[in-house]
Amino acid sequence: MAAGRREDELRRRLERAAELRAGGLAHSQEEADELAREEELNRKRREVDTARRADYLIRDAISRGEFDHLKYAGKPIPNLDNANDPDWWIKGLIEREQLTGLGPEALVLRVEDAGLPETLDALHTEKQVRDALESFNRRVIEARRQLLGGPPVITKLRDIEAEVAAWHARRSAAEAARAEAEAHDADGRPPSFWRRLFRRGG
């Protein structure tokens, strides 16, 4: 309340100084200068009061132990060397929340490229594999144009024929391993040569 009254009084005095200046009275400039100095002093006092209050709140929080168990207490803050990276915040969010399919296209493509063999192995037909590879290559080309900005795209295009051949090879190896596992006897011994031959013929 007292602070409000002081501000009202100061405002009235400033208005009075403006009226005196407009009226051309001799002492109006001196009064205006004095009021300006008083206003500057009050502003500095308010700033000091705000800083003192912030300091008090921090010390009070420390005394209550609110800073004792912070995540990075006693450890270096991660990613301080990425201060010049404009996408540091989205990269950190993706890493912390383990989000997939979000973020700059260059980063999304890098993640997809690393897991592409597993993605293709989950498909059932060669056409699905070719469609997935064509879609991936098309997105890489679009991202290289940098129409939406973001980090540079370093992901390479995939050779569709080579990837299809590798998919067939992995699929054949997996089927052979599965058949071998099913062919074992109940006691864990591998079947005899004649039994394996009979099963292939049957």
Side-chain angles (χ1 to χ4, degrees):
M1 293 291 293
R5 284 197 296 271
R6 283 199 303 269
E7 289 180 2
D8 290 342
E9 177 65 22
L10 180 61
R11 189 180 304 108
R12 282 195 296 271
R13 293 176 68 182
L14 287 172
E15 290 173 355
R16 176 63 179 158
E19 292 173 0
L20 292 173
R21 190 182 300 110
L25 297 180
H27 63 284
S28 61
Q29 184 62 42
E30 294 179 3
E31 186 174 346
D33 291 341
E34 181 183 349
L35 289 174
R37 286 193 296 271
E38 186 175 344
E39 182 182 11
E40 179 67 15
L41 180 61
N42 287 335
R43 183 186 64 79
K44 290 180 179 179
R45 284 175 180 165
R46 286 194 297 270
E47 289 179 357
V48 170
D49 290 343
T50 301
R52 192 175 297 156
R53 174 174 168 75
D55 185 62
Y56 166 77
L57 291 174
I58 292 173
R59 291 178 184 275
D60 185 52
I62 291 173
S63 67
R64 291 197 309 269
E66 294 187 9
F67 297 126
D68 290 349
H69 303 290
L70 295 177
K71 183 174 182 181
Y72 297 109
K75 302 176 183 177
I77 298 175
N79 298 323
L80 284 181
D81 54 345
N82 293 337
N84 295 327
D85 184 359
D87 299 313
W88 65 268
W89 60 275
I90 189 66
K91 292 177 183 176
L93 176 65
I94 292 171
E95 183 178 348
R96 285 193 308 274
E97 303 296 331
Q98 297 181 349
L99 303 175
T100 58
L102 297 176
E105 191 67 12
L107 301 181
V108 174
L109 287 170
R110 271 187 241 172
V111 174
E112 288 185 19
D113 184 58
L116 191 58
E118 291 80 7
T119 302
L120 297 178
D121 288 346
L123 302 177
H124 303 291
T125 65
E126 182 178 321
K127 183 179 185 309
Q128 290 176 333
V129 172
R130 289 182 179 277
D131 289 345
L133 289 166
E134 288 173 0
S135 173
F136 179 80
N137 285 345
R138 186 166 52 250
R139 289 172 51 219
V140 170
I141 293 171
E142 288 294 325
R144 285 179 179 174
R145 294 176 180 164
Q146 294 283 311
L147 297 178
L148 300 177
V153 179
I154 62 173
T155 305
K156 296 180 180 179
L157 295 173
R158 292 292 185 123
D159 184 334
I160 294 180
E161 297 304 324
E163 293 296 335
V164 169
W167 175 77
H168 278 297
R170 291 193 303 270
R171 190 176 179 86
S172 299
E175 288 176 357
R178 187 166 48 251
E180 185 71 21
E182 292 174 356
H184 278 70
D185 289 335
D187 60 0
R189 290 181 300 168
S192 66
F193 168 78
W194 295 109
R195 187 180 300 176
R196 290 200 303 271
L197 185 62
F198 175 75
R199 287 188 179 178
R200 281 189 199 139

